[in-house]
Amino acid sequence: MSGYSDVLDSKVPDGPIADKWTNHKFDMKLVNPANKRKFEVIVVGTGLAGASAAATMGELGYKVKAFTFHDSPRRAHSIAAQGGINAAKNYQNDGDSVHRLFYDTVKGGDYRSREANVHRLAEVSVNIIDQAAAQGVPFAREYGGLLANRSFGGAQVSRTFYARGQTGQQLLLGAYSALMRQVNEGGVELFNRQEMLELVTKDGEACGIVCRDLITGEISTHSAHAVVLATGGYGNVYYLSTNAMMCNTTATWRAHRKGAFFANPCYTQIHPTCIPSSDPFQSKLTLMSESLRNDGRIWVPNNFDETRAAADIPEDERDYYLERKYPAFGNLVPRDVASRNAKTVVDAGKGVGSLKNGVYLDFAAAIARDGEDTIRAKYGNLFDMYQRITGENPYKQPMRIYPATHYTMGGLWVDYHLSTTIPGCYAIGEANFSDHGANRLGASALMQGLADGYFVLPYTIGNYLAEKLGSAPVPTSDPVFAEAQADVTDRTNRWLSINGTKSVDHYHRELGKLVWDYIGMERDKNGLEKAISEISSLEEEFHKNVRVLGSADTLNQSLEKAGRVADFFGLAKVKARDALVREESAGGHFRSEHQTEEGEAKRDDENFKHVTAWEWTGEDSAQNEHREELTFDTVPLTQRSYK
Amino acid sequence: MEKTHSEKTMTLTLKVWRQEPGQTGGFQTYEAPGISEDMSFLEMLDVVNERLIEDGTPPIVFESDCREGICGTCNLMIDGRAHGPEKATATCQLHMRSYNDGDHITIEPWRAASFPIIRDLAVDRSPLDAIQEAGGYITAPTGSASDANLTPVPKPAADAAMDAAACIGCGACVAACPNSAAQLFTAAKVMHMNLLPQGQAERWQRTENMVETMEEYFGSCTNHGECHEACPKEISLDFIAMMNKDYVKSKIKNRKLSGQG
């Protein structure tokens, strides 16, 4: 395959980069206030992106229906983000600007994102902080009452706003409160414990969804002029990740099967500082804030068969491998570099802990230098959390850490309007392939979710809806709804009828192992080809031998999981193919065939300066590959170096 | 070698509340052998469920999501205590090293009439959302906000608001209360906003509406303090006192003729 796709039109407006969004807002069609109530919009998912979009569109006067599979919108996984949210406020007078945030994000994404989208993200970042503060988000303050900032993830300016270690929680509570105000005022109708299991389309346009009520099992249909998917990323394809237990790809995958292209599924962010797994029944991994690398030193013993306690290993028998290999950045190298190096030493057999699956993050030097009290004041809550999970005291012995899947940069392909390739179907937040390119910078996920939901989608969706004035949504009595509903019912009943021998979790764990081993931190051609065939065989076995007990007309968690894991199989296969065709290394995608002499990621801008977007062509054939060319007119292409 | 991973496993006896929709529930006893002390409590239940599925018994329904103590989904009454024996610890953060080989553990759903049982250990906590909907917000439509630094927030106010806003909405306070009161939850939500300058315009209305919605669903507070003991985020009882004070004031402030001053 070569050449760029005619099908993919990014709809990036003309003009200088800094004027594109302003001009575009003026050029888009408007829906007058009296007409807005004639339009119905479905929003699926109530995390940062979904809740902010639903609330804002409700405020504008659209009739919004918001769906969440949680018991309350405020439980969405955005809530778990710890670190903070970036914004180009330059409150610290340290030279930050919209242009610098834009530049850093394009570079940090290893030049695999769309410049125009990223610039818009940087522009609206400042409005997000104003909006959240007005809602009562209790951001950290200086003594004078003004907002505090910190530098985060190696940024050279202090542009990160935070609310203790719970920034995601507080921003989500802010968006949730705005949403509940709209629910109270009738602008938004809220559907809790409803899982979207199908996107409904008519004549190629999105017109509604099919949901299963997780309590009663009822399969219902809902129609609207447009459908917005804000359903998060696909990190749980690895089984073990820092994602919540219920995070899944089903909504985006069902949309993909109905015609939405899936972009860059190979891009996954592996976070370097998570607590290693401790037993085969580990259900998820817990992230320890990246800020720990500011004071902790990472090392492994020199000896392969080391059995001594960390404190008994003399200095000259330790390998501080990041400090050794990257003298300039040391322990603060970017996430992908830190992760890959941890894998290298653990694979070499130098891992620590009884499962030999971690590296040390050692605070002894910092404690000796600053005193235990200072370290406690900085990281006390993190140290407590670590001790609660591992039973080890990090003031007395080093932490053990290992990388884990954290965020997925890939997702549904969207144009500048955040529209997928299905007209009327939008994807926002982590669910789209986003503005992060091949690697996301710290504290930028919250920013993008809220940018899409508060400040981008509510404008761009009007441009689509304006054309629909005078036409009612496709009624749910239309045969396309009955067909989709029957399809969902069949699928649900099929899981219950297989009655095999192994649980859904068993297959999810096995799938996760394959994806981690072959499409994890390091990929190569052989491994990826193996992955495709092994995932397919496992998938076949899953469909023949999974055991789902109980019935469909009640809360049945195994049944819910069966559908999600089935969709993860499809996603895993296209992820492997995407990784296979991208014969370069970029950001979170590291092909071992493509590295510099020093073992760093080696991009191939001549051949891979594009987005890969996959088109579903049916159950029995592999997806079609499409390419959208990326142009870098403002940020010059350079090779990242952290030596 | 230092303690990093335990070879020790334990066998536990679990007494678990099982209940089908529309039916009367009861305790079932399950053996849980081979449990490692590094497992979390919910991973222990995952293991039990995996065995139940192998035996053809429908697994125990319990809810959880983030499993890092922040989403507030997990909710188990363990040996009569909301979220179990450890202080400031949500169920998902409880680990099996808190238990010994041979222990008997009783697991029940949240106990409160306003949280009806859906199935087994899962309950319906939607009344908490009804309280939020009644006024748990600051009216600030998107796009209307002025520059964030135009409204300085004194650090003590910001810190106190954050202390209240740390509430994860799990409902342990209700489950632990002998009256099934939701005072601690409501106080956390009300005072998060009432303490901030941004929250002043709607302060009295918010307080009255949220408190009175709370009273439609939940029992009355008689200052037992069990809520604070059970709270995984250790939300202070002081917020209840502050909310009560604001509620009394709101009855005067919200009278039409007296103004909102």
Side-chain angles (χ1 to χ4, degrees), chain A residues 52 55-56 59 70-77 79-80 82 89 91 129-131 133-139 141-147 163-164 166 169-170 173 176-178 180-181 183-185 192-193 215 242-247 278-279 281-287 306-311 352-355 360 385 387-392 397-398 400 454-455 501-503 505-506 509 547 549-550 554-558, chain B residues 1-7 20-21 36 38-40 42-43 46-47 49-50 52-68 70-73 87-89 93-95 97 118-119 122-126 128-130 132-156 158-163 165-171 185 189 192-193 196 198 202 233:
Chain A
S52 59
T56 303
E59 287 162 8
H70 286 100
D71 67 326
S72 165
R74 71 191 139 88
R75 306 226 195 267
H77 195 54
I79 207 158
Q82 299 171 358
K89 280 285 196 186
Y91 281 161
I129 301 306
D130 299 339
Q131 182 61 32
Q135 287 167 345
V137 170
F139 285 123
R141 302 270 168 176
E142 305 291 354
Y143 279 97
L146 302 182
L147 288 156
R164 295 201 185 136
Q166 294 128 275
Q169 179 199 25
Q170 294 310 315
L173 291 178
Y176 160 75
S177 68
M180 293 312 278
R181 188 173 79 87
V183 172
N184 190 35
E185 294 191 356
N192 289 338
R193 294 202 192 256
I215 305 300
T242 65
N243 284 4
M245 303 300 286
M246 305 206 293
C247 292
S278 63
D279 65 75
F281 285 97
Q282 185 93 25
S283 58
K284 77 155 275 162
L285 297 170
T286 302
L287 182 126
E306 188 57 70
T307 53
R308 288 171 292 182
V352 301
S354 61
L355 298 177
Y360 285 131
M385 182 161 86
Q387 187 159 12
R388 203 176 293 137
I389 291 171
T390 61
E392 299 165 22
Q397 66 189 79
R400 291 173 296 112
Y454 281 132
F455 296 108
T501 60
K502 300 260 171 60
S503 69
D505 281 345
H506 165 82
R509 268 196 302 272
R547 173 181 281 191
L549 300 170
T554 176
L555 176 55
N556 186 338
Q557 294 165 324
S558 306
Chain B
M1 182 158 183
E2 63 211 293
K3 197 210 88 57
T4 51
H5 179 71
S6 172
E7 304 299 320
E20 289 296 308
S36 136
D38 287 323
M39 280 180 190
S40 73
L42 297 182
E43 283 162 2
D46 291 340
V47 170
N49 271 345
E50 197 115 349
L52 290 178
I53 293 170
E54 268 172 39
D55 297 345
T57 309
I60 302 159
V61 175
F62 64 92
E63 295 199 272
S64 76
D65 198 26
C66 77
R67 294 205 178 183
E68 47 188 273
I70 192 75
C71 75
T73 307
K87 240 186 122 46
T89 303
Q93 294 285 280
L94 177 62
H95 279 69
R97 67 182 69 88
I118 295 169
R119 195 175 178 198
V123 299
D124 175 5
R125 283 170 285 185
S126 50
L128 297 179
D129 282 316
Q132 284 281 94
E133 190 188 326
Y137 46 75
I138 290 169
T139 299
T142 304
S144 64
S146 54
D147 187 274
N149 263 352
L150 279 179
T151 311
V153 180
K155 190 168 161 49
D159 287 347
M162 181 64 224
D163 287 342
C167 166
I168 58 174
C170 61
F185 168 83
K189 299 301 177 187
H192 157 205
M193 289 172 180
L196 292 169
Q198 304 94 303
E202 292 161 298
K233 297 296 155 187

Side-chain angles (χ1 to χ4, degrees), chain A residues 89-159:
Chain A
K89 280 285 196 186
N90 194 30
Y91 281 161
Q92 304 309 320
N93 195 29
D94 56 2
D96 198 14
S97 63
V98 166
H99 190 80
R100 189 178 297 280
L101 175 55
F102 155 69
Y103 182 96
D104 288 354
T105 306
V106 171
K107 183 182 173 199
D110 222 353
Y111 306 94
R112 292 294 173 263
S113 51
R114 207 187 272 148
E115 275 193 343
N117 286 51
V118 179
H119 198 278
R120 174 176 66 188
L121 174 69
E123 284 174 61
V124 302
S125 69
V126 296
N127 306 112
I128 296 170
I129 301 306
D130 299 339
Q131 182 61 32
Q135 287 167 345
V137 170
F139 285 123
R141 302 270 168 176
E142 305 291 354
Y143 279 97
L146 302 182
L147 288 156
N149 290 110
R150 58 182 170 206
S151 106
F152 197 80
Q156 289 167 306
V157 291
S158 288
R159 63 159 73 102

Side-chain angles (χ1 to χ4, degrees), chain A residues 491-502:
Chain A
R491 224 187 300 147
T492 309
N493 292 334
R494 193 176 343 124
W495 302 125
L496 293 164
S497 68
I498 296 170
N499 204 16
T501 60
K502 300 260 171 60

Side-chain angles (χ1 to χ4, degrees), chain B residues 11-14 29-33 35 48 51-52 104:
Chain B
T11 299
L12 304 158
T13 306
L14 309 180
T29 303
Y30 303 104
E31 288 291 304
I35 301 300
V48 170
R51 290 208 190 100
L52 290 178
H104 288 242

